Structure formats: C-alpha cells, structure tokens
Amino acid sequence: MTIGSNLTTFAGLPVQRFELAGRGRRGRGQHQRPRPGERAAYRIGIGYDDDAQELVDTLDALFDAVGAHNVTALLIGSWGEPQSSGPPLQLLIDNRDRLTGLRALFVGEMTYEECEISWINQGEYAPLLGAFPALEVLHIRGADGLSLAPVRHRRLRELCVESGGLPAAFIRGFNDSSFPALADLELWLGTGEYGGDAVVDDLAPIMTGSELPALKRLALRNAEIADDLATALAAAPVVARLESLDLSMGALSDAGAEALLLGQPLTHLRSLDLSHHFMSPEMAARFAGELPAVRVDVSDEQEIDEDGFRYVSVAE
C-alpha cells in the first residue's frame, strides 16, 4: 500500500487547495480564491523544484484572502524538497500571532508521487506545540528526523503520526510529555528497515494509560511487532476504558490474535480494527463470534510468503 491521495476532509471540514498561479515564480501573483463564507481546511504546498519563498508567499496570500484569524485548519503538503529539508515549522511559529484561530494542523499531507512516506524529513515538534497552546488536532506524515522534546500541552485531543518506521526516541519523548486532553492517539510504528525501532517496553507508559486520562481511541497501526502489541494489550490497563482499539495495517498473526482473545474482556469496545492481517479464517471468525456487539473489522486478509515473511501495509 502507498499513500496515494490527498484528503478531502480534515478536522471535520472540507479540504480546499490554495496555491499561487504560475507555480515556481516569485511573488504572490494570482491564487485560488475560497468561496465567500465557506469554512474549510486549507491545504498549501509547492513543487519539488520551487523556491522555499513560494510557500511563504502562498501562506501570506491565504491570509490576505480569508484573514489569518479565520484559518482554523491548515494542511501543509510538499515544502519543496521534503526528502532533504525539514518541514516549515518555524514559518508557522513566526506567524503564531496571526494564526490565532488555528486548531488543526497536518504537516506532510502529500502523496507518494510527491515523496514516499519514509523519505519525508520531519523535525522537532515541541516548539510548535509550545507556540500553539490552543491546537487540538495534530497530524504528521513521515518520521525521518522526527523528534519530540518533553512538552506539556493542555488542549491537544488528537495526535496522529503516519510513518513507515517510527523512531523509539519519538515515543519516549511523547511518554515524557503531558497531554491531559488527548482522546485519540494514532501511531504508525512501521518496520525496523525504515527506522521503526520501538519495542513493546517503549509503549508501556501508553498501555498503562495513567498519564493519558482522556484517551478513548488507541491505534497502534502498521506495526511489524503487531503480535507483541496484541499480547501486551491483552493485559494493558488502558484497554478497559477505551472505546476503540486499532491494530490494523500490521503483521498480526494467529499467535497475537489468540493472546488478545484470551486476555481481558473486549466486549466494552465500540470498535476493534484488525484489518490487513495474517490470521487464519478460523481465527478471524472467532472475533466476530466472541464479540457480537463490537464493530470488528477483520478484512484484507494477507498471505504469508514462502519465506514466512509478514509485512506491514506501508513501509517505504
């Protein structure tokens, strides 16, 4: 699987692309105008060979068109050379006094034609979170160079990091941070081949849930270590208060599935997503049979290859 389409909605709003006409030229030029009175999540981005100044100009033009205070949701696509340069986080920080209404942000919302997910060069996110204390939703795509120094943020309720390999150092930074309002946590753990070096012990603070009092959805997706995660979640205290558990896109086999079913009750869940898995049909059927009131997804069954290899959905 590859990431191949831009979002049509984000943070409950329709996504509207906003870009300068005559891309690659300096200056503001003409730009796509939003429809009057429309509330939207605005997506900006530039071409691979464009000068970085064009992204600055595009953001300024967006502010001119809709008013900076009206930008409540913003998506940043390609920033020129996402393989070699970090995201324009400082540009956002420099505009924090103008972006007073920003509540939702997606950094790296680009397709595989623009940059494969594991080649997107990210950066340090603690200063950004410090600059936007009212931010409620943060999505990040790509994890090369991604880091998080310990930070306290009182308002963030949704964090999603999509990657082909999530560094354990980022998870440890998250563990040392404080997010008392976080209700939805989604981490794509990926594979060791692309930097996903986390083990279950790195996720232990998340699984206890003691520092995440508001958490209702936990998604540990795209994980090479899905069996280990399922085994740990079978006894993890946080599961008892979740509404949704998601282990999709990973390498879950009968071994992990059996441990999950034999562990603590899951009947309180509203949804359990195990799609893209390596379970046998018999094991997959057990989830529907034993959890009749839970919305269980065991679609997208995969086949183990002749070498016994099980693969995640998104790697490079």
Side-chain angles (χ1 to χ4, degrees):
M1 175 180 171
T2 54
I3 306 297
S5 62
N6 295 120
L7 295 176
T8 57
T9 62
F10 176 60
L13 296 171
V15 173
Q16 183 171 129
R17 297 175 67 94
F18 186 95
E19 57 189 31
L20 301 176
R23 293 178 61 155
R25 297 179 305 179
R26 298 290 292 271
R28 294 189 181 181
Q30 300 295 316
H31 52 77
Q32 298 177 347
R33 282 199 167 273
R35 290 180 284 275
E38 181 182 42
R39 294 184 66 245
Y42 297 104
R43 182 189 188 277
I44 62 172
I46 60 176
Y48 185 86
D49 295 324
D50 289 340
D51 192 298
Q53 180 63 36
E54 186 152 337
L55 190 67
V56 178
D57 294 340
T58 302
L59 187 63
D60 284 342
L62 175 63
F63 291 166
D64 289 346
V66 304
H69 63 285
N70 290 322
V71 179
T72 60
L74 181 66
L75 303 92
I76 299 178
S78 176
W79 46 81
E81 293 188 33
Q83 291 176 299
S84 59
S85 60
L89 303 183
Q90 191 59 48
L91 173 61
L92 297 172
I93 294 171
D94 290 345
N95 282 278
R96 60 185 170 184
D97 292 336
R98 302 171 74 186
L99 284 164
T100 56
L102 188 66
R103 298 294 180 268
L105 176 65
F106 194 145
V107 181
E109 201 282 303
M110 60 188 84
T111 67
Y112 70 90
E113 289 97 344
E114 294 170 290
C115 188
E116 295 281 5
I117 190 170
S118 289
W119 300 109
I120 299 174
N121 193 284
Q122 282 288 348
E124 167 59 54
Y125 273 79
L128 178 90
L129 288 166
F132 293 94
L135 195 68
E136 298 177 358
V137 177
L138 175 60
H139 282 217
I140 301 167
R141 181 171 292 164
D144 186 20
L146 178 67
S147 60
L148 180 68
V151 63
R152 178 171 177 80
H153 198 286
R154 297 180 181 273
R155 296 286 296 276
L156 195 71
R157 57 179 175 79
E158 181 178 323
L159 173 64
C160 174
V161 183
E162 302 177 0
S163 81
L166 186 62
F170 176 87
I171 298 173
R172 290 192 288 268
F174 174 86
N175 292 337
D176 291 337
S177 298
S178 177
F179 297 101
L182 194 68
D184 189 326
L185 175 62
E186 179 173 331
L187 303 175
W188 294 20
L189 299 174
T191 75
E193 184 179 0
Y194 291 99
D197 58 349
V199 296
V200 168
D201 285 349
D202 295 310
L203 296 153
I206 295 172
M207 293 192 181
T208 65
S210 58
E211 300 300 319
L212 297 168
L215 195 66
K216 295 298 182 185
R217 176 178 180 263
L218 177 60
L220 301 174
R221 308 180 72 193
N222 199 50
E224 192 173 48
I225 60 169
D227 279 351
D228 294 338
L229 295 173
T231 300
L233 287 165
V238 72
V239 173
R241 56 183 172 82
L242 294 178
E243 295 178 356
S244 176
L245 179 61
D246 188 338
L247 294 174
S248 65
M249 300 171 59
L252 184 69
S253 73
D254 280 3
E258 179 81 13
L260 191 60
L261 277 174
L262 293 178
Q264 63 185 304
L266 302 173
T267 52
H268 65 286
L269 293 174
R270 292 184 180 179
S271 65
L272 175 63
D273 192 343
L274 305 175
S275 58
H276 185 281
H277 62 84
F278 294 82
M279 293 183 287
S280 65
E282 294 76 17
M283 180 60 72
R286 283 181 57 186
F287 280 94
E290 296 185 26
L291 302 172
V294 180
R295 188 169 64 252
V296 177
D297 188 346
V298 290
S299 62
D300 198 15
E301 177 185 348
Q302 304 295 312
E303 292 186 4
I304 300 175
D305 69 16
E306 58 185 16
D307 296 321
F309 182 71
R310 291 178 284 123
Y311 47 87
V312 299
S313 181
V314 176
E316 187 176 13

